[in-house]
């Protein structure tokens, strides 16, 4: 059984992105993409899955720098699985990989949301302090007005 490989145009079709984006991600994330004898890129099913994961993480708002920290997870144990008979093992690893990515995304979103909540509470406190200051200034001004009237009437 031969290992399925895809050209750049086929990968672009699967991923729904442009070829220059594919090359950019490859370069920025230092992904180990294979090349044939002529130097042309080719992609395996695993590479396609990695790019799909990257695309999903990008949609969720992650920067390539953040995704780059996960590249060790993308190709973990992949070098050992180059033989076709390990196909089921690769599929189970890919599920495990997706579970890890999903957990990381969930944790990151919770962290981001907790940060947003913190800033919302801080903003609320600042606004309440500003309101108290306005009320205090208005009270002082009103007191000053009363004193002015008191001295003017006599």
């Amino acid at each position: 059984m031969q290992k399925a490989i895809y050209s750049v145009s086929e990968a672009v079709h699967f991923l729904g992105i442009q070829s220059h984006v594919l090359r950019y991600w490859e370069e920025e994330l230092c992904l180990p993409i294979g090349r044939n004898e002529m130097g042309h890129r080719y992609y395996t099913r695993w590479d396609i899955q990695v790019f799909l994961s990257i695309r999903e993480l990008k949609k969720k708002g992650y920067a390539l720098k953040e995704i780059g920290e996960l590249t060790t997870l993308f190709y973990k144990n992949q070098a050992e699985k180059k033989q076709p008979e390990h196909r089921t093992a690769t599929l189970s690893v890919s599920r495990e990989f997706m579970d890890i990515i999903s957990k990381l995304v969930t944790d990151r979103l919770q962290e981001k949301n907790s940060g947003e909540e913190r800033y919302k509470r801080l903003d609320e406190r600042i606004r309440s302090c500003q309101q108290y200051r306005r009320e205090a200034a208005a009270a002082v001004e009103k007191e000053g007005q009363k004193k002015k009237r008191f001295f003017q009437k006599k």
Side-chain angles (χ1 to χ4, degrees):
M1 184 173 186
Q2 217 175 22
K3 189 176 186 178
I5 60 171
Y6 304 97
S7 66
V8 173
S9 60
E10 290 171 324
V12 165
H13 177 72
F14 290 141
L15 297 168
I17 58 175
Q18 296 179 356
S19 61
H20 67 90
V21 174
L22 198 62
R23 290 189 302 272
Y24 178 72
W25 287 353
E26 177 188 338
E27 289 174 21
E28 286 296 311
L29 300 174
C30 301
L31 299 176
I33 303 300
R35 293 184 180 260
N36 64 14
E37 306 83 38
M38 296 175 57
H40 298 285
R41 292 174 174 87
Y42 68 85
Y43 302 95
T44 62
R45 288 181 183 168
W46 183 262
D47 295 328
I48 300 294
Q49 186 172 358
V50 167
F51 281 115
L52 284 170
S53 301
I54 292 168
R55 189 184 72 186
E56 289 305 311
L57 290 171
K58 289 290 292 173
K59 281 183 183 178
K60 291 185 185 279
Y62 288 90
L64 273 182
K65 196 176 226 181
E66 294 173 314
I67 297 170
E69 296 171 5
L70 302 173
T71 55
T72 56
L73 294 175
F74 291 159
Y75 288 94
K76 181 182 177 183
N77 297 329
Q78 191 60 20
E80 301 165 6
K81 299 191 187 312
K82 294 207 177 207
Q83 297 153 357
E85 54 266 16
H86 293 291
R87 188 172 172 199
T88 57
T90 303
L91 289 176
S92 67
V93 170
S94 63
R95 284 190 198 108
E96 179 183 317
F97 169 74
M98 290 309 292
D99 290 342
I100 290 170
I101 294 295
S102 180
K103 174 96 172 91
L104 288 171
V105 167
T106 303
D107 291 348
R108 176 80 170 134
L109 288 175
Q110 285 176 349
E111 180 183 304
K112 189 175 181 180
N113 289 340
S114 69
E116 287 178 14
E117 288 299 319
R118 184 174 145 238
Y119 287 119
K120 284 180 183 178
R121 288 192 306 269
L122 181 62
D123 187 50
E124 187 177 309
R125 288 180 187 151
I126 290 170
R127 290 177 191 272
S128 67
C129 285
Q130 289 173 341
Q131 181 64 32
Y132 293 140
R133 285 182 179 172
R134 277 190 235 115
E135 290 173 0
V140 167
E141 188 176 322
K142 192 173 186 181
E143 191 63 35
Q145 292 288 339
K146 284 183 182 178
K147 286 182 181 179
K148 256 188 182 178
R149 287 183 194 156
F150 179 73
F151 290 116
Q152 287 178 355
K153 289 182 181 178
K154 290 185 177 183

